[in-house]
Structures are given as structure tokens and as C-alpha cells.
Amino acid sequence: MPRATAAPNAKGADAAVPPNGDLAQGASIDEIAERILAAIWEHRLPPGTKLVEERLAGVFGVSRTKVRLGFAKLAHEGVLTVLPNRGTFVSSPSVAEARQVLHARRLLEPALVHDLAASITREGLRTLRAIARQEAQARKANDRRAIIRLSGEFHCKLAEIFGNQYLGRYMRELCSLTCLVIALYDAPGLPSCPHHEHDDIIDALEAGDGARAAKLMVEHLGHVESTLKLELPVEEEVDLEAVFAEI
């Protein structure tokens, strides 16, 4: 999958990531990467934001080397983009890349829940129900950041419960990129997907009905995509005569 490009943002990363008091001086690279990723998922770090090693090292209370390695981990997942001689930015998926992300999810997730229905445990169902309840509470509070984060967590948890570590990693990348796609292409005024859809998918999994779970997932992803405005900018024709009229 092609990596997203990024445009510089005038705001520094430290303005979007709150002080990380829960990270100790010896915080791991994974913890730093997860903290940055959480800020991206919750749209506190919008696409195009420049991340400054030195300032984030101060925010997290760690060395610049650890921050740099955290950047590298997220860049490998396509969430960050490193531009030589310019710095590291939160990725900004193009329209074509956004469509590829959504297409990959439409191919992958219906098959995932279809197979998961035959093996999901009571513990797995309880975990999914808990996330769905948190998402419902976030909707009541109109907490859009939490809704987006919990929705992504739900889809990633499906792969985690299924138990395929490679599928889990791929789903994490797709969900992270989807968060960036939503931030860039969310169409104002369009209704979000129906709040009960995750519950309906869980019900199908609990019933062991893989075909229904897959059908519901296709519809759900279609609703998510319908809230996006994936269009290329309108290109205006340049009047060459006017441009060079005074030359």
C-alpha cells in the first residue's frame, strides 16, 4: 500500500498532545508510539501536523532518540510521513489512498467476522459488548473524539480476538489510516452510521451466524464510507492569455 504524503502544519505537535504524566522516565518506545497514535485516533493531532522531536521529548520526559524511534514505528505503519530535510508529519492520505484503505477493509473485515462467528468465546463477546457500551455512552455525550477512537478499537479488537497476529497488525494500520481519512474527508452535515450497527454485528457473532455477520459488516462499512466526501479538488482551467497578457 502506498504511503500517505503530508503537508506541513503550522502548529507544533506539543500543542495537540497533553503532558504525558502517566509515562515514567523509562517509558518504552511502544508506549510513546501508542500515546502519539491515541492523539491521532482522537483527532487531537490532525493530518499534516509537524512533530518536533525535541518538543515531544520534553512533553514525554524521554530522550529524543526514543521519540525518533517511536516516529519510525508509526512511519512504518503509514501513520507518520518522514520528509527529508523537512521533518516528520502526521500523514495526509490522498483521495486515491483513502479509497484503497476503504477497499481493503471491505475485502478483509466481512471475511474476518464470517470466520470469527465459528470460534468466538464468551470472553470475546463480553469484550466487544463493553466497547459497544462505551461507544454508546460517548454518543450520548456527543463526544466525537471518543466515538471515533472506540469505533476503531472495536474493529481492531475483532482481529485481536480472532487470534491472527498478522491480521491484527494489518487491521491496526487500516484503522489508524481510516481515522486520518475521516479527519480529512468527513462531509459536514451528513449523518454518522447508525449507532446500533456494532451491537448487531456482535449479536450475529453470538448466534454463530457468520453469513449475517459478514452482511452486516458490509453494510456498516458502506455507511461509514457514505459519510465521507472522497472527491478530488475541482481544477480550474488557467487562462494562459490572461496570465501572459502583460509580458
Side-chain angles (χ1 to χ4, degrees):
M1 181 183 300
R3 295 306 184 193
T5 57
N9 187 306
K11 296 175 65 176
D14 57 318
V17 182
N20 199 12
D22 59 328
L23 287 183
Q25 186 70 21
S28 69
I29 295 164
D30 286 343
E31 287 174 319
I32 294 168
E34 287 297 329
R35 183 72 177 189
I36 296 171
L37 188 63
I40 291 173
W41 277 37
E42 293 184 352
H43 289 183
R44 289 181 284 119
L45 281 177
T49 301
K50 183 174 183 178
L51 304 182
V52 182
E53 287 179 13
E54 184 176 4
R55 299 174 82 173
L56 281 177
V59 169
F60 294 140
V62 297
S63 68
R64 291 179 61 182
T65 299
K66 277 194 173 182
V67 172
R68 189 179 307 120
L69 292 173
F71 285 178
K73 178 180 174 64
L74 294 176
H76 179 71
E77 297 177 7
V79 181
L80 301 183
T81 299
V82 180
L83 300 178
N85 301 319
R86 293 179 63 189
T88 299
F89 300 85
V90 177
S91 295
S92 299
S94 66
V95 170
E97 289 165 339
R99 286 175 175 157
Q100 288 182 33
V101 168
L102 297 169
H103 185 218
R105 293 190 64 170
R106 288 198 304 272
L107 291 175
L108 177 63
E109 292 189 72
L112 166 62
V113 294
H114 180 277
D115 290 356
L116 180 60
S119 61
I120 192 167
T121 63
R122 291 188 179 276
E123 181 181 357
L125 289 167
R126 283 196 296 269
T127 298
L128 293 175
R129 295 281 186 200
I131 296 173
R133 283 195 299 271
Q134 292 176 46
E135 186 180 353
Q137 292 170 357
R139 287 181 182 278
K140 287 182 180 179
N142 198 28
D143 188 344
R144 181 165 174 75
R145 288 177 175 175
I147 293 170
I148 294 172
R149 173 178 56 80
L150 290 165
S151 178
E153 184 178 337
F154 176 84
H155 288 266
C156 287
K157 188 62 67 174
L158 289 170
E160 182 181 322
I161 291 171
F162 189 60
N164 185 316
Q165 62 176 324
Y166 303 104
L167 184 58
R169 291 174 188 170
Y170 193 37
M171 274 305 306
R172 168 189 158 108
E173 180 177 334
L174 287 174
C175 287
S176 297
L177 291 171
T178 300
C179 285
L180 295 173
V181 169
I182 291 172
L184 284 168
Y185 302 108
D186 192 29
L190 290 182
S192 60
C193 57
H195 63 85
H196 58 78
E197 291 188 347
H198 284 171
D199 287 314
D200 291 346
I201 291 170
I202 299 171
D203 289 342
L205 291 173
E206 187 170 24
D209 191 340
R212 176 164 173 75
K215 177 177 180 294
L216 290 170
M217 181 61 78
V218 170
E219 293 174 354
H220 175 58
L221 293 175
H223 289 153
V224 172
E225 188 166 352
S226 71
T227 67
L228 303 175
K229 189 176 182 181
L230 296 176
E231 298 178 359
L232 292 171
V234 177
E235 294 186 5
E236 298 182 0
E237 184 175 353
V238 177
D239 185 343
L240 296 179
E241 287 77 8
V243 169
F244 297 103
E246 298 181 2
I247 297 179

